[in-house]
Amino acid sequence: MANVCVFCASSRTLDDRWLALATETGEELARRGHTLVSGGGCVGMMGAVVEGARAAGGRTIGVIPQSLVDLEVADLDSDELLVTDSLADRKTLMDEKSDAFVALPGGLGTLDELFEVWTTATLALHAKPMVIVDVDGFYRPLLDWIRGLGEQRFLKPAALDLLMVADSVPAALDLIDARLT
């Protein structure tokens, strides 16, 4: 099966519904036989997604910079924990280890990771599927703004077509599975 990278928040102050969504994502990845690639953290949604994957018998790969290991937020229970020198190195290694990408709700870090893989896809540096999970319209304002970029010709229609959107975790993974087969 595939290595699926999940981008999500690591905040410790999130509403329980976002943690439940992350747990569900990890569980669903494991049920489908996929390996979870994550940012290597054990807190917030990032911690919940790895816990969900492991609880359902899944394999996890965490990629984390040494600076975050030093803050004691590393997922030391990962099947494979890869420590990098910097956040930039972390993103590169996560991209290399992954066959597909899922963006759950998150903040700046999530958006940074999503936009980097999307940008590299528009440059034909990879053809890996990318899906935003837009639960309860979380990403609707961003998606509206992005569509506006297309209308103003700052973004080509082909670039918009590269990023898929789903309203649930199962639907997102169905899109990935269809693209990977």
Side-chain angles (χ1 to χ4, degrees):
M1 298 310 315
N3 288 354
V4 179
C5 184
V6 175
F7 302 135
C8 60
S10 61
S11 172
R12 298 174 196 246
T13 61
L14 297 173
D15 189 88
D16 286 342
R17 71 184 180 135
W18 301 123
L19 299 174
L21 177 68
T23 301
E24 175 194 354
T25 302
E27 291 169 347
E28 187 67 18
L29 284 167
R31 273 195 293 273
R32 293 178 185 228
H34 297 306
T35 295
L36 168 67
V37 177
S38 77
C42 63
V43 295
M45 290 175 73
M46 198 179 305
V49 74
V50 295
E51 289 171 13
R54 277 197 290 273
R59 176 171 158 64
T60 61
I61 300 171
V63 185
I64 190 166
Q66 183 63 54
S67 60
L68 295 180
V69 173
D70 295 343
L71 290 176
E72 299 181 355
V73 296
D75 175 28
L76 300 177
D77 293 328
S78 283
D79 293 301
E80 187 177 352
L81 185 63
L82 306 170
V83 180
T84 63
D85 290 330
S86 68
L87 282 170
D89 292 341
R90 171 206 221 178
K91 288 190 298 184
T92 299
L93 191 53
M94 287 170 69
D95 296 352
E96 290 172 0
K97 291 282 185 184
S98 302
D99 301 309
F101 304 93
V102 172
L104 297 178
L108 291 177
T110 301
L111 293 174
D112 175 49
E113 293 164 338
L114 172 64
F115 279 113
E116 180 146 339
V117 297
W118 190 16
T119 299
T120 54
T122 65
L123 298 171
L125 298 176
H126 73 82
K128 300 172 185 180
M130 303 164 291
V131 182
I132 288 178
V133 179
D134 187 30
V135 172
D136 297 335
F138 180 89
Y139 280 111
R140 189 172 303 126
L142 176 67
L143 293 168
D144 289 344
W145 179 73
I146 289 169
R147 287 183 194 102
L149 290 177
E151 291 165 7
Q152 296 180 53
R153 299 186 186 151
F154 284 104
L155 188 61
K156 295 178 182 175
L160 285 169
D161 294 340
L162 292 172
L163 186 63
M164 299 178 287
V165 179
D167 62 1
S168 70
V169 171
L173 295 181
D174 286 347
L175 290 169
I176 286 174
D177 290 342
R179 289 274 175 105
L180 291 175
T181 55

